Amino acid sequence: MKTARHQAIVQLIRQHETLATEELASLLHVSKETIRRDLSALQTQGKIIRLHGCAKSIKRENRDSGDPFNARLKSHHTSKADIARQALQWVNDGMVIALDASSTCWYLAKQLPDIDITVFTNSERICQELSKREHIQLISSGGLLQRKYACYVNPAIVSQLKELEIDLFVFSCEGIDKEGTLWDSNRYNAEFKSLLLKRALQSLLLIDKSKMNRAGEIKIGSLENVMQVISEP
């Protein structure tokens, strides 16, 4: 019975692309608690993406079904700000750090002290935030702006990175599955993260607990490539 319900949930979500937990419970005539357990299991299996109060279909063929930056900024914002604050202890004078275009890294950028560091990023919003600092040297990846994700896409980024030695790459991701695979929801940010994971001397993953045991649409690397994971206590 559970297997049949899981199949029905996946089919319904594929048909509607996104469905609220309450809608699924009503359609399948079960409680919201049952649906929440079902969605948690299906997310672990990599069959759906679970969001706050709803679930959406995984569309691996277009690789561009991530949530807009503004929506991510409002999700779990207290946890993200706290996680970002813990990351500050890893930042020291003279370092070259790279930040991805995640909302968690934006919270980190807001809290960075105005010290002698270099920040490399593909994030439009982080560029806007750090442009106010006098002592931070800011390097943008540049390229085409993807407004939905507030990130830049630059095909020449490999050549650009030849001139930089990244001491620390700080990033977030869509989820970590049980095998330790890191996932993301859109190819623009995923390509940047995959590249920096290979190039940086060390990497720091900032992630809230809602993304644990959760698959996504695009693999960006493995937990083995990460020096430290920072999450809620």
Side-chain angles (χ1 to χ4, degrees), residues 153-216:
V153 180
N154 186 354
I157 190 172
V158 174
S159 298
Q160 189 179 25
L161 283 171
K162 288 180 180 178
E163 307 299 322
L164 286 174
E165 185 171 319
I166 306 296
D167 297 307
L168 179 67
F169 174 43
V170 188
F171 71 108
S172 187
C173 66
E174 183 71 21
I176 308 173
D177 66 22
K178 289 185 175 180
E179 283 70 46
T181 302
L182 308 177
W183 296 85
D184 215 44
S185 57
N186 73 83
R187 62 186 177 90
Y188 307 116
N189 282 316
E191 290 169 359
F192 181 85
K193 295 172 189 182
S194 294
L195 180 59
L196 267 296
L197 272 173
K198 297 172 184 174
R199 297 265 178 171
L201 295 178
Q202 52 188 359
S203 297
L204 188 63
L205 175 60
L206 313 182
I207 190 166
D208 62 77
K209 290 181 179 178
S210 70
K211 297 178 179 179
M212 299 296 187
N213 296 321
R214 172 173 166 177

Side-chain angles (χ1 to χ4, degrees), residues 47-125:
K47 294 182 178 179
I48 57 101
I49 295 176
R50 189 179 180 190
L51 302 172
H52 183 66
C54 67
K56 70 178 182 179
S57 175
I58 288 181
K59 296 183 176 180
R60 300 189 190 277
E61 68 278 3
N62 63 35
R63 300 192 170 196
D64 186 22
S65 62
D67 292 323
F69 181 85
N70 286 338
R72 289 184 284 119
L73 200 61
K74 298 173 184 176
S75 174
H76 301 279
H77 58 89
T78 302
S79 295
K80 290 177 180 178
D82 289 342
I83 291 167
R85 190 172 299 109
Q86 295 179 59
L88 289 173
Q89 62 183 308
W90 289 76
V91 179
N92 297 307
D93 277 338
M95 290 183 70
V96 178
I97 67 173
L99 302 178
D100 77 343
S102 65
S103 55
T104 308
C105 277
W106 179 81
Y107 281 109
L108 173 59
K110 283 181 66 68
Q111 299 177 62
L112 278 177
D114 191 9
I115 59 177
D116 181 22
I117 59 174
T118 297
V119 175
F120 175 72
T121 185
N122 66 331
S123 167
E124 177 201 19
R125 300 297 181 86

Side-chain angles (χ1 to χ4, degrees), residues 3-16:
T3 301
R5 189 172 66 247
H6 283 190
Q7 292 174 346
I9 290 171
V10 172
Q11 186 174 4
L12 283 167
I13 292 173
R14 283 176 180 169
Q15 290 173 352
H16 296 270

